[in-house]
Amino acid sequence: MLQASKQASKQASKQASKQASKQASKQASKQASKQASKQASKQASRVMFIKRALLSLIPLLGVSILVVFIVNEAWLRAHFADEARVELARIAATTAFTESAYDDAIRVLNTLLEGERLQEFLRDGGSTHREKLAQDFLEAAQMTAHFDQIRFIDAKGFEQIRVNNNAGAPAIVARPELQNKFSRSYFHEAIGLPAGQTYLSPVDLNIEHGEIETPFKPMLRLAAPVDDAQGVRRGVLVLNMLYGPFLEAIDRRNALRTDDGILMMLNRDGYWLKSDKPEDEWGFMLGKPARTFQHDFPKEWPVIAAKDNGVIEDRNGLFVFDTLRMRDHEQQNLKVVSWVSMPHLRGESLLQKYKLGFVVILLLLITTTVLVVHNRVGREIAAAEVAEKKLRLESIIEGTRTGTWEWNVATGEVKVNHHWAYMLGYNLAELDRFSMAAWQKMVHPEDLAVSKELLEKHFAGMLPNYESDLRVQHKDGRWVWMHSRGRVMSRMRDGSPKMMLGTYKDISQRKLVEAQMQHVAHHDNLTGLPNRALLDDRLHQILLTARREKTRFALVYIDLDEFKPVNDNYGHAIGDELLRQAARRMLDCVRASDTVARVGGDEFVAVLARIQHKDDAQAVTEKMRAVLADPFMLDGIEVKISSSIGIAIYPEHGEDEEALSINADAAMYRAKKGGRNQVQMAEMSS
């Protein structure tokens, strides 16, 4: 019984254990299956989320990339425009400096050509006149450091007079050191020109004794034919202008640049006169015909060669160019080109500054905000670069002490720098609200109309630049001569000017020198009286007035009797003083509207304007004869002379200059033959 009970208990326990094990296994399996299902669901959700995110983000990413590209290209366009404006200003400073020096050289050459001393040297070639003409050359060379040589070469090619710069210490070259320049091209070009024309050589390297001078000396030569009073070709006047300082100025500007840009100068054939590679320069003289701008930039050169100025933007970069004008010699014009490479320009783009991935992620997070911020940052960067370059340009201008002005043509507002204000006695604060109307009140009335006319021609495109010499009133009331130069930098949609920039340069000293040289060219050095050239001009003007108004005037020829014995007995110093005192006595006998001129050693001519009767001329000339017959005290020596005077009346004794001169001269010789110390009236003209 007990045994049966134990057996039954064992059996029940075994079954319960199996049942519990099965239950536990079933529950574990369910738990594992549930966990696996949950994990699979989460994975599927992640995949779905990623798919949906990608489907949402791909269009947004595409739009973002497109927006970034558009913004970047727009920023680059603005950057290109700002770069071009700065480069135009930089080139304008270079061309203004060079063209001003060239204009000064033309004025000096013309002044020397018109001078009386050149004709005096051609008449007799004596050592005295040679020395005087050489002194004129020396004074002209001392006016500016840009002149290397001033020479007079005779018709056979021999140098007769030469002044060398000598590194800033001009000196007259001794005659044994003068050379024959018959073989030089500038001599042949100039000797064959019609009178009054000027030959301008290309800019090249100086040649001495048949070889290129070293170190290299860039040179520009101006040459003009010289005729004597009879119209015979006697030689050429040559002015060598040092071109090195202008090329060195380009080097200095390049050294100040921080944008990897290059400022270059080219001749009309595209050869480099100034490059960032010295080995490329002067290829046309050094046997390097392939070293040209066209060789390196074949697509850009035809545009630069054909147009006066402009901007080229292509895969090679940004080219800003202008023409350096040689007034009246356009065939020798030069090109100034500023080049910034495209890798450099694109190297400053937004995509390079901020990596693309960062930009895209930022755009995904806050697309609209990022676009606005980056656009604003781009503008601020562009503005900062423009401000930096403007400051750099202002530093260059500061170094040259040049006055600058900016004129808003639409509003009339004018902004000037402190040099402009200082030249006219103001401080900048006094010109805070300056305007074009205020500027016009400061300009001399005689110059204002000319300035307005030149401005209108520039506005209309008839002139590439505005340039004018004008007098501007200083704060203390005096007039200051200024050279004003400018250019329209931007226009309105209708083509009218919007903004104009320019410079002011004080040229008062130059005007003073020109006036002095003009006086020397038209007045006798000894007596200060008008010379033959000025007399002829005044006689012509008086004749035109008399014909128009039907009035009369007298032409008077005066010859000093017994002047030669005074020179022979007492010397030239006494003779010269006698001529000066005689001139003053004759001037005291005439009115301010009359003219007394010295035309020869002891020969004088007077023009008595607006006389009523012959007796008026007779009375004035008798007074002259009487005062000239009075004794002269010359360095303690009493000297007596007399005069023979001939009178011709317009229109009775002639209706033109030639007839009046012939009759007055004939009357003077009748006075001499009649015993001297008398006045003779011309005989009636037939």
Side-chain angles (χ1 to χ4, degrees):
M1 227 11 226
L2 284 170
Q3 227 174 357
S5 176
K6 288 180 180 176
Q7 190 72 25
S9 178
K10 257 184 195 179
Q11 189 71 24
S13 177
K14 200 183 266 189
Q15 286 179 348
S17 177
K18 283 183 179 178
Q19 187 71 23
S21 178
K22 275 185 183 179
Q23 189 71 23
S25 177
K26 190 181 268 186
Q27 286 180 349
S29 176
K30 283 184 178 179
Q31 189 71 22
S33 177
K34 200 180 274 188
Q35 190 71 21
S37 177
K38 197 172 183 181
Q39 291 285 24
S41 178
K42 284 183 178 180
Q43 187 67 25
S45 296
R46 287 195 192 100
V47 172
M48 184 62 67
F49 174 78
I50 291 172
K51 287 182 178 179
R52 289 180 178 178
L54 287 175
L55 288 174
S56 301
L57 290 176
I58 285 173
L60 180 60
L61 182 62
V63 171
S64 299
I65 292 173
L66 179 62
V67 169
V68 169
F69 176 79
I70 292 172
V71 170
N72 186 66
E73 286 300 309
W75 186 91
L76 279 175
R77 294 293 171 192
H79 181 63
F80 288 171
D82 292 337
E83 194 79 27
R85 281 193 288 271
V86 172
E87 293 306 310
L88 284 172
R90 184 180 286 122
I91 289 176
T94 300
T95 56
F97 175 48
T98 308
E99 290 174 358
S100 176
Y102 167 71
D103 290 344
D104 289 345
I106 287 290
R107 279 190 283 270
V108 169
L109 184 69
N110 290 334
T111 299
L112 292 174
L113 282 171
E114 296 168 4
E116 185 69 17
R117 288 184 178 174
L118 180 58
Q119 288 300 319
E120 289 175 353
F121 173 71
L122 295 178
R123 280 197 291 271
D124 63 13
S127 60
T128 300
H129 292 305
R130 177 186 294 274
E131 292 172 1
K132 290 181 178 180
L133 183 56
Q135 189 63 32
D136 277 359
F137 285 12
L138 182 62
E139 292 174 0
Q142 291 169 341
M143 290 172 60
T144 175
H146 298 319
F147 297 161
D148 183 58
Q149 292 181 346
I150 302 177
R151 297 173 285 171
F152 173 68
I153 302 175
D154 66 24
K156 295 181 179 179
F158 286 95
E159 292 178 334
Q160 293 296 320
I161 298 173
R162 185 173 88 213
V163 170
N164 284 349
N165 178 272
N166 287 341
I172 300 170
V173 176
R175 294 184 69 178
E177 297 177 24
L178 299 177
Q179 303 176 32
N180 187 297
K181 298 294 183 179
F182 184 82
S183 62
R184 298 306 303 274
S185 60
Y186 60 81
F187 172 79
H188 288 283
E189 293 287 347
I191 199 72
L193 286 176
Q197 291 192 14
T198 303
Y199 166 72
L200 179 68
S201 75
V203 176
D204 60 12
L205 298 176
N206 193 47
I207 295 177
E208 286 294 336
H209 304 291
E211 295 183 356
I212 295 175
E213 185 177 356
T214 54
F216 292 160
K217 186 188 284 187
M219 198 71 64
L220 180 68
R221 300 170 190 85
L222 294 89
V226 177
D227 295 344
D228 61 20
Q230 288 72 41
V232 176
R233 183 60 48 87
R234 298 292 298 277
V236 296
L237 187 61
V238 183
L239 192 155
N240 285 15
M241 184 176 170
L242 288 168
Y243 222 75
F246 310 120
L247 301 179
E248 290 166 5
I250 293 178
D251 282 336
R252 289 193 296 272
R253 290 190 170 90
N254 281 333
L256 292 171
R257 298 178 71 160
T258 58
D259 57 2
D260 291 337
I262 303 165
L263 195 60
M264 303 173 283
M265 184 175 286
L266 314 169
N267 69 8
R268 62 179 179 178
D269 297 320
Y271 283 99
W272 273 290
L273 306 185
K274 175 53 62 177
S275 169
D276 63 317
K277 302 175 184 176
E279 63 270 22
D280 289 344
E281 297 170 358
W282 309 106
F284 62 98
M285 296 197 72
L286 302 178
K288 301 177 183 178
R291 297 313 303 130
T292 64
F293 185 91
Q294 184 176 9
H295 179 271
D296 288 359
F297 302 104
K299 292 183 179 180
E300 292 82 358
W301 172 244
V303 179
I304 293 173
K307 297 178 68 176
D308 286 341
N309 53 68
V311 177
I312 302 173
E313 177 201 326
D314 59 19
R315 65 181 184 180
N316 287 325
L318 183 69
F319 298 81
V320 183
F321 64 94
D322 199 357
T323 300
L324 201 162
R325 302 178 181 282
M326 303 298 183
R327 199 184 310 279
D328 300 325
H329 296 89
E330 286 75 16
Q331 72 277 13
Q332 302 301 354
N333 286 349
L334 304 176
K335 297 290 184 179
V336 180
V337 182
S338 179
W339 172 53
V340 182
S341 67
M342 185 56 69
H344 171 76
L345 290 172
R346 289 200 171 271
E348 296 184 357
S349 71
L350 291 175
L351 288 178
Q352 292 295 329
K353 285 179 179 292
Y354 312 100
K355 297 302 181 181
L356 182 61
F358 173 75
V359 175
V360 171
I361 293 172
L362 201 58
L363 286 171
L364 288 173
L365 297 174
I366 41 173
T367 33
T368 305
T369 305
V370 168
L371 286 174
V372 172
V373 169
H374 273 272
N375 189 36
R376 183 176 300 171
V377 169
R379 289 180 181 178
E380 289 176 355
I381 292 172
E385 289 181 353
V386 170
E388 180 185 352
K389 291 173 182 177
K390 185 176 180 181
L391 181 62
R392 192 161 62 246
L393 182 60
E394 287 176 352
S395 297
I396 295 172
I397 293 172
E398 180 73 16
T400 62
R401 303 184 68 82
T402 300
T404 63
W405 49 268
E406 300 176 26
W407 176 24
N408 187 323
V409 184
T411 65
E413 181 184 9
V414 177
K415 293 182 179 179
V416 299
N417 70 353
H418 70 278
H419 285 306
W420 194 102
Y422 176 80
M423 285 188 286
L424 296 172
Y426 296 91
N427 60 60
L428 205 54
E430 293 176 287
L431 302 176
D432 182 44
R433 296 185 177 275
F434 199 49
S435 67
M436 179 52 61
W439 175 82
Q440 290 178 351
K441 291 180 181 178
M442 297 170 68
V443 177
H444 196 285
E446 295 176 5
D447 303 330
L448 184 58
V450 176
S451 177
K452 286 183 176 179
E453 181 180 355
L454 293 172
L455 271 174
E456 291 300 326
K457 288 183 177 180
H458 175 53
F459 289 167
M462 300 168 64
L463 293 174
N465 299 301
Y466 158 75
E467 282 189 80
S468 180
D469 288 352
L470 46 97
R471 287 161 289 180
V472 184
Q473 193 165 37
H474 193 276
K475 185 178 180 181
D476 63 13
R478 59 190 169 92
W479 295 102
V480 179
W481 273 104
M482 293 287 187
H483 178 73
S484 182
R485 177 186 175 89
R487 177 182 292 178
V488 172
M489 303 306 294
S490 62
R491 293 181 178 271
M492 309 288 279
R493 290 185 178 180
D494 62 1
S496 61
K498 178 182 179 182
M499 182 63 68
M500 187 172 181
L501 307 180
T503 59
Y504 249 21
K505 181 182 178 183
D506 188 337
I507 58 171
S508 301
Q509 187 61 32
R510 192 191 79 195
K511 287 291 185 180
L512 177 61
V513 172
E514 287 177 357
Q516 290 171 346
M517 296 186 73
Q518 187 75 5
H519 184 273
V520 169
H522 292 90
H523 289 79
D524 175 51
N525 290 335
L526 180 63
T527 63
L529 294 176
N531 60 16
R532 169 67 74 178
L534 185 53
L535 171 69
D536 290 345
D537 180 70
R538 290 187 181 178
L539 177 58
H540 182 68
Q541 297 301 322
I542 290 173
L543 178 63
L544 293 178
T545 301
R547 285 176 178 170
R548 184 174 63 253
E549 299 179 4
K550 301 188 184 306
T551 57
R552 306 166 86 189
F553 69 90
L555 183 64
V556 181
Y557 272 50
I558 307 149
D559 189 84
L560 302 184
D561 303 326
E562 300 302 324
F563 173 76
K564 187 175 183 301
V566 174
N567 253 354
D568 294 342
N569 294 332
Y570 301 108
H572 289 291
I574 295 296
D576 289 349
E577 180 60 24
L578 174 59
L579 290 173
R580 283 191 285 266
Q581 290 193 23
R584 287 195 291 270
R585 290 186 183 186
M586 285 185 280
L587 281 175
D588 290 340
C589 297
V590 300
R591 301 162 298 179
S593 59
D594 300 330
T595 297
V596 178
R598 183 184 177 212
V599 296
D602 57 356
E603 298 174 357
F604 298 80
V605 174
V607 182
L608 309 179
R610 292 182 178 275
I611 62 172
Q612 298 296 323
H613 306 286
K614 293 180 181 179
D615 294 342
D616 297 337
Q618 192 79 36
V620 173
T621 52
E622 278 294 340
K623 185 178 179 182
M624 283 186 180
R625 183 200 61 75
V627 298
L628 292 172
D630 290 337
F632 290 83
M633 289 302 297
L634 309 171
D635 198 19
I637 302 171
E638 182 176 288
V639 174
K640 289 186 177 182
I641 60 170
S642 62
S643 60
S644 299
I645 302 176
I647 308 171
I649 306 295
Y650 171 87
E652 289 91 330
H653 303 135
E655 296 186 356
D656 58 34
E657 294 100 322
E658 183 179 0
L660 289 167
S661 296
I662 291 172
N663 287 329
D665 190 55
M668 182 192 72
Y669 276 100
R670 280 194 287 108
K672 276 192 173 294
K673 290 179 180 179
R676 302 181 179 176
N677 194 26
Q678 59 180 275
V679 177
Q680 287 288 338
M681 185 70 68
E683 297 176 350
M684 292 297 293
S685 176
S686 58

